Amino acid sequence: MASVYENRRMDERPLDSKPVSELISDALQQFSRLVRSEVALARAEVSDKAKQAARGSAMLGVAAVVALPSLFLLMMALAAFLVEMGLAASLSYLITAVIGFIIAGILAKVGLNRLRADALMPNRTINQLHRDAATMKEHI
């Protein structure tokens, strides 16, 4: 079975024979690579979240364009039905308008919740940074 020292490159020396300056240099290089990879991860995750938000916004816009005429016709039909049931026309339109505002409020709340900052936060990157910081604290 090969030992750890046999697997290293021929020009590398074991850690106990390296000078402190070389060890510090190696640690700084590794830290630099770690920071670069974390920044790349954050950039990719933020880009993904931005694309997700853009797609969500586009879908909300298309849904609004399609739903508005349909909702208008549905509300007119409801008002006509209430008039046929014996309510005054003005009361029928008022009831229909209140129902429409309730539906609009619910849809707006759901849409805003999907676009809030917590939903767009790069959680994977933040968790990875916390793990990296904990690992570095253990080794220092």
Side-chain angles (χ1 to χ4, degrees):
M1 188 166 147
S3 72
V4 175
Y5 294 112
E6 291 172 8
N7 289 334
R8 71 178 187 278
R9 295 184 314 203
M10 296 305 267
D11 60 339
E12 279 188 11
R13 294 177 290 189
L15 289 179
D16 55 355
S17 68
K18 286 186 176 182
V20 173
S21 62
E22 191 174 337
L23 291 173
I24 291 174
S25 174
D26 289 347
L28 288 175
Q29 287 175 353
Q30 289 176 5
F31 180 72
S32 176
R33 278 194 303 262
L34 175 65
V35 168
R36 279 194 300 269
S37 66
E38 294 299 336
V39 167
L41 175 63
R43 187 176 295 143
E45 190 172 0
V46 167
S47 173
D48 185 47
K49 295 286 184 171
K51 288 177 186 174
Q52 178 183 347
R55 282 192 303 267
S57 297
M59 287 181 183
L60 282 173
V62 170
V65 167
V66 171
L68 281 175
S70 301
L71 185 60
F72 179 74
L73 290 174
L74 182 64
M75 291 173 64
M76 292 299 294
L78 177 62
F81 174 75
L82 292 174
V83 168
E84 288 177 8
M85 297 300 290
L87 287 174
S90 59
L91 184 58
S92 297
Y93 292 131
L94 178 64
I95 291 170
T96 304
V98 168
I99 291 172
F101 278 123
I102 290 171
I103 291 170
I106 291 170
L107 292 174
K109 183 172 174 65
V110 170
L112 289 174
N113 282 340
R114 299 230 173 156
L115 294 175
R116 71 182 197 278
D118 293 344
L120 302 175
M121 190 168 297
N123 294 323
R124 288 183 302 182
T125 302
I126 291 170
N127 291 337
Q128 184 63 40
L129 286 172
H130 287 302
R131 284 193 300 269
D132 291 344
T135 301
M136 289 178 66
K137 284 180 184 178
E138 287 176 10
H139 294 305
I140 291 180

